[in-house]
Amino acid sequence: MSHVLALSGGVGGAKLAAGLAAVLPPERLTIIVNTGDDFEHLGLTICPDIDSVVYALAGLNDRVRGWGVAEESWQAMAMLRRLGEADWFNLGDRDMAMHIARSWRLRAGETLSAVTARLTRALGIGACVAPMSDARLATLIETDAGTMDFQRWFVGEQCRPVARAIRFAGAGAPPSPAFAGALARPDLGAIIVCPSNPFLSVDPILALGGVRDALASRRVPVLAVSPLIGGAAVKGPLDKLLAERGAGTGNAAIAGHYAGLIDHLVIDRQDDPDAGGLRASGLFVTVTQTLMHAPGDQARLAREILKALAIP
Ligand code: FO1
């Protein structure tokens, strides 16, 4: 029975990661998560995409807000505000426990991989969820108003400044042991790129040392799920980034971005008219419902993907 390696960012990616975790035995799945969005805030190490994946797999995620923990309270944030501390980035009380647990363990000398393994175990998650790297690779947005840390641009500025370029400080950092180990597994059956933002969530993973080459010289299928539905992003700044880059829109732009790296693209039914052109470019294309409203949709999409990859 082959192993599956999933590459994920936050919200959309986390949903498919949870679907894969629901249908695969834990020992057959490695989920590698973008850490380019991570930052230090109020003395805490915040890893938003790892937490989105962890909360989704543990069934703790807030499905309406899209990030953080469900049934959250905000007492600590209110007190921090009274104390005159920064309140542009919202930390819920339950979510804050995660940041505290992670931050002190990191400061005590554990790697982010070890801390993430500890926290996922504690929450009853069986599959391996690991950061893309234990080294720092930070996503920076170059705008007319200067270069911004990712969260300052994304949350603080609500993605308003035009992104002239996206840069990764620390590019070439080594993949985490779990990531390098999964890429080298003789029983690796497929690599799945979850429906995350290609520029903000997947490119940081591809910017690690050796990852692009490992995918390009793959010996297993590499399948990406398009983050677009009806030609537009479900959430987040992807549409804005596509427009600002001027390198096309729709699934052709997604396929173009991953050219040479993927051989299979899963697109939504609403984008069926894109399928012919994508197939003509040499890609395998699966057309299905990619929008995941409910946990049932996550598992259904995961099953369809595994079937398309002929992975039992
Ligand atoms: N997103 C927001 O739009 N506003 C917030 O205040 C915010 C706080 C936050 C706290 C913890 C966490 O794990 C995520 C949080 N997010 C927030 C989401 C996060 O900024 C983004 O979803 C990801 O970085 C993009 O994948």
Side-chain angles (χ1 to χ4, degrees):
M1 291 297 234
S2 60
H3 197 83
V4 172
L5 167 61
L7 309 180
S8 180
V11 189
K15 288 183 183 174
L16 181 60
L20 289 166
V23 302
L24 282 168
E27 65 279 5
R28 289 186 52 206
L29 177 63
T30 299
I31 302 164
I32 295 300
V33 190
N34 169 44
T35 54
D37 301 7
D38 295 8
F39 76 132
E40 296 290 318
H41 186 60
L42 299 171
L44 299 170
T45 304
I46 319 282
C47 303
D49 286 359
I50 289 183
D51 290 348
S52 291
V53 170
V54 168
Y55 294 149
L57 265 67
L60 292 170
N61 57 315
D62 187 298
R63 300 186 64 84
V64 178
R65 205 169 48 246
W67 50 269
V69 182
E71 291 161 36
E72 188 57 283
S73 56
W74 304 90
Q75 300 289 332
M77 201 70 226
M79 191 63 185
L80 283 164
R81 199 170 291 123
R82 274 187 72 181
L83 294 171
E85 298 296 349
D87 65 353
W88 62 271
F89 194 79
N90 296 289
L91 298 173
D93 297 334
R94 300 175 80 194
D95 186 36
M96 196 149 342
M98 178 67 99
H99 309 311
I100 293 169
R102 174 169 43 230
S103 302
W104 89 262
R105 294 279 179 188
L106 286 172
R107 246 144 267 174
E110 286 187 23
T111 62
L112 185 57
S113 290
V115 177
T116 307
R118 176 194 290 281
L119 298 172
T120 52
R121 242 189 342 265
L123 291 174
I125 294 168
C128 170
V129 177
M132 63 184 196
S133 178
D134 284 324
R136 190 75 192 101
L137 182 152
T139 301
L140 299 175
I141 313 295
E142 291 188 357
T143 77
D144 291 341
T147 301
M148 296 183 192
D149 289 347
F150 178 80
Q151 296 298 343
R152 175 54 73 179
W153 176 75
F154 189 84
V155 175
E157 299 292 331
Q158 297 285 293
C159 311
R160 276 183 298 261
V162 173
R164 300 277 170 217
I166 300 168
R167 226 166 22 89
F168 305 112
S176 62
F179 192 5
L183 285 169
R185 283 181 79 115
D187 63 346
L188 185 65
I191 300 172
I192 296 174
V193 181
C194 291
S196 296
N197 187 310
F199 309 108
L200 298 173
S201 301
V202 182
D203 275 1
I205 303 178
L206 299 175
L208 295 169
V211 170
R212 207 168 254 283
D213 285 349
L215 263 62
S217 61
R218 64 196 172 262
R219 49 190 170 75
V220 298
V222 182
L223 174 151
V225 180
S226 173
L228 301 179
I229 295 189
V234 180
K235 204 168 187 267
L238 178 55
D239 296 335
K240 181 174 181 282
L241 287 175
L242 281 168
E244 286 169 6
R245 293 172 85 87
T249 55
N251 282 312
I254 303 297
H257 187 71
Y258 289 139
L261 297 176
I262 64 165
D263 38 35
H264 196 144
L265 188 65
V266 179
I267 63 171
D268 190 72
R269 274 204 200 100
Q270 291 182 43
D271 298 312
D272 187 48
D274 295 348
L278 293 168
R279 288 192 180 111
S281 76
L283 283 175
F284 287 98
V285 179
T286 295
V287 183
T288 185
Q289 184 196 317
T290 60
L291 189 63
M292 292 170 275
H293 291 294
D297 291 326
Q298 300 169 0
R300 175 200 43 79
L301 181 59
R303 264 190 224 100
E304 284 178 12
I305 288 169
L306 295 176
K307 191 165 165 224
L309 289 165
I311 290 182

